[in-house]
Amino acid sequence: MPEICEFLVARWPDVLDWLWYFYIACFEKNLVNKEFKKDMQWHLCMVYVVVCTRDKCTLAIANIPGTIRLATLICMLDTECTFLDIKDTIRGSFTLTYILQISHPLPVDIFLLDEVLEAMGGNAELLVDTTIARLVDALDKPELVVKAVGTYVALFSVLGGCPDHPLSVALDARNPVVILTKVLLRLLDILSEASSGRFSPEYAPRLRHTMIVILMHLFTILAKGPGLVKKALQALQSGIMTFLIECAPVAFAFDPLDRDGMVDLLKKLTCLTTRIPIARQASAELERLERKCSVQARFNASTLNVRNAWVTFYDAILARRTILAQIQALDSTPMACDNCFKFDERANFKKCAGCGKAHYCSRECQSRAWKEKSHRAECNSSKTNSAKSRRRAATQEKYFLARVAVNDAQHQKEHLKQMACIGLNYLKVTVDYTEFPPRCTVACDKKELSAHMDKTTEISDVTSRILDYGVGESRLSELFQGTSSSLNIEAPTSSVLKSLGEVGVTESGGSEMCRIQLVDGDLHVRENPDSCPNVPPVHLIVILPGDDDDDTSLRREERFVIDDYWEFVHIKFEDTGRADLPSELFEFEEKDEKEKYDFVYGKRKHSPDFERLVKLSLLGQSMRAAKAKEEAEGVGQRQDELMKLIKTLGSSRAKAVDDMLQAAKIVSALKRAEEEEDAKRKLILHLEGELCRTQAQIDV
C-alpha cells in the first residue's frame, strides 16, 4: 500500500486529469446509466481514499490545482438522491472532509475553503443545507449513524473554521448548536437500542465515542467566537442538560478520555452561568428535569470526575436561581447613574424630565451631565436613548456578576472580618472563574499590614514604659498578682510578611473600580454588628475568560467596591458526599498511567501506535492534573500563611491593647495610692501643727 500511495502522488497530475475525464463524462455529460454512475462515484472516492491513507500523501496532493474542487463535486453528487444511497453520500462527504482536515488542521486554510466555495458556484447555502439534510437522513439508519455523524460533524468543524468566510456564515445561520444537540438526543435513543443487544458488541462503544466527538465540537463552539450567550442558550433550550444527565449514570461505560468531554462541557456551562440569560435558562431547564427524574440521584451514581463537575454545575444553578429570585423580588430594577455610574435601585434615581431616559443619583450629577457630557444636545436623540438602553443592560449584567461573585466568595467572609477587626481598611477578594471550581482568595495591602505590625509593637513598648515608670519591682509584682505576668508582645516580623509573596498580600491601587450596592432592603440583617463595627468596603475582583471577540487564552477583569459585602445573605447547595456505590466505578482516579491503560484497554487488542498515543495522552492528563493540584496547593498554602499571620497579629494586638488597659488601671491605682498617702501626710502635719499649738497654749 505505501508503494501504491507514493506512485499515485508522483503521478497525481496525470491521475487527476483522468479523474476529471471520467467525472465530466459520467456526471456532467450523462453518457452512462445510473448504475455506472454509482460505480464510478465509488471508484473516484476510492482513489482519494488510497492516496489519503498516509498523511504526507494527503499534504502532497492537497495544494495541486483541481484536487479540492473535484473532491467537492464528488461530495455534492446527486443532491436529490436519484442514484446514490445514504452510504454512498457518506463516502463522498468523507472524501472532501478527510483531505481538508489532514491538509490544514483547524483553523482551516481560507484558500481551501475558497476553492470549495468556487466549486459550488458561490452557493454556500447549498453545501450546508445538503450536509445537514444528509446527516438527518442518516439518523434513521442506526447501522450507518456512527460513520455518518463522524463524517458530517468533522465537516461542520472544517466549514466553521473561519468565522468570516461565507461557508462559516451559512453554517452559523443554520444554528449548528441546535442541530448537534438534537443529534445527541437521537443517539441516546439508538444507544438504548444497542444496549438491548440489537447490534454487535463493538457498536455501543463506537456510538458512545461518537457522542463525545459531538460534545467536544460543542465545547469548541462555546469556547470561542462571537455570540457565546446566544449559542449557549440554544444548547440549553435544545436539551443539552437532558443529554448530560442521562449520560451521567452510565459514564463508567465511556472511555476515561471520553468522559473528559462531558466534564469540559459542564465546566464551560458553569462558567457561563455568570450571565443572566444563561443562568435563567439553566435554572428553568433544571426545574424541568427535576419534574421528570431525580437529578441528584443520577449524577451521584456517576464516576467521580463527572459527578464533581455535575455537583459544581448544579450548585451554581441553585445559587444563581436564588440571586435571580432576590433581584425579581425588588421593587425596582438595579441600574447605574448615567453620569457617575454608581449602582443603586431605580426608585432612588431621578429621571430627566426632557427625554425621560437618562437617570441620575443626584442633582449634581444631572447638572454635570447637562454641562460636561453634552446631555443638552443628546436629550431628544432616539439613537442616544437606544445606546443608553444597551448600557443599562450591560450595567445590570455587571450587577448580577457582582452578586454571583460575592455569593461564591462568602466562605472567605470570616477571614475578611479578621482583617477588618484588626483595623485594615483595604480588603480584597478575588474570584477566578477561569479555574474550575472557581478559585477564591483574599488579600490586603502589604504596607498597611506592615504598619499595623509596627503599631502593635509600639503599643507594647509604650505599655512597658508606662508600667516601668516610677514603680519598683516589689510594688510591680504586688500589683500584678492575678493579671498578665508579661507585657512583651512578639509581633510578626517583616520577614514573615515577605515570605508570603505576591499571592498572599498585594498592593492596593491600580485599575479603576466600580462602586456597587447589593443590599435588598429588609432581606438582610447584619451579622454580629457589635463584633466588628465600622467594617470597611471590600474590593472585589472577578476574573473571567476573554470576551466574545477576544482570544480565549486571555483573561479579563471586572472590578467592584462592595460597600455592604457583610450584609449579603448566602444560600448555597451543600455537597452531600459520594453516593454509596461500588468502588470499582471510581477505580480509574487512583491508578497510574500503566494501570489506567490496562484498566481501560487491557481486554482489547490495539496496534502499538494506538497504545503509545493513548499512554501519552494519559500521561499528559496526569501531568496537567498534578500541575494544577500543585498550583492550587501553593495558593492554598499562601492563603493559610496569610490567615495565620492575621490571626497572630490580631491576638498580639488584642493582648497589647488589653495590657495597655491593665497598665492604665495600675497607673490609676498608683496615682490614687500616692494621692491618699499625700493626704495622710498633710493630715498628720496638720494634726502635728494643731497639737503643737494646743501644747503651747497649755504651757502658757
Side-chain angles (χ1 to χ4, degrees), residues 261-280:
M262 301 184 206
V263 174
D264 290 341
L265 190 57
L266 284 168
K267 289 180 179 181
K268 188 60 183 178
L269 291 175
T270 304
C271 180
L272 290 174
T273 55
T274 55
R275 308 289 187 94
I276 290 180
I278 298 175
R280 285 175 177 162

Side-chain angles (χ1 to χ4, degrees), residues 8-75:
L8 288 174
V9 170
R11 302 299 301 271
W12 184 250
D14 296 333
V15 173
L16 186 60
D17 288 340
W18 277 103
L19 294 179
W20 272 108
Y21 172 80
F22 287 114
Y23 174 83
I24 294 172
C26 295
F27 303 108
E28 290 190 1
K29 295 188 177 182
N30 294 316
L31 300 180
V32 296
N33 57 26
K34 293 181 179 180
E35 290 299 326
F36 194 89
K37 286 182 179 180
K38 185 173 182 178
D39 291 341
M40 184 53 62
Q41 190 259 3
W42 184 88
H43 285 93
L44 292 175
C45 292
M46 286 302 101
V47 173
Y48 272 95
V49 169
V50 171
V51 179
C52 295
T53 300
R54 304 180 70 183
D55 291 351
K56 66 177 184 179
C57 297
T58 308
L59 294 172
I61 70 171
N63 292 318
I64 295 178
T67 301
I68 299 296
R69 181 181 177 87
L70 181 58
T72 304
L73 295 175
I74 294 174
C75 171

Side-chain angles (χ1 to χ4, degrees), residues 4 28 34 76 106 136 139 169 189 218 233 255 282 288 330 340 436 514 573 596 615 627:
I4 296 177
E28 290 190 1
K34 293 181 179 180
M76 295 303 295
L106 296 178
V136 173
L139 295 177
V169 173
D189 297 335
L218 286 176
L233 285 175
D255 287 342
R288 182 182 62 81
L330 300 179
C340 66
F436 187 85
C514 180
F573 167 76
K596 287 177 184 178
K615 290 178 180 178
K627 183 178 180 181

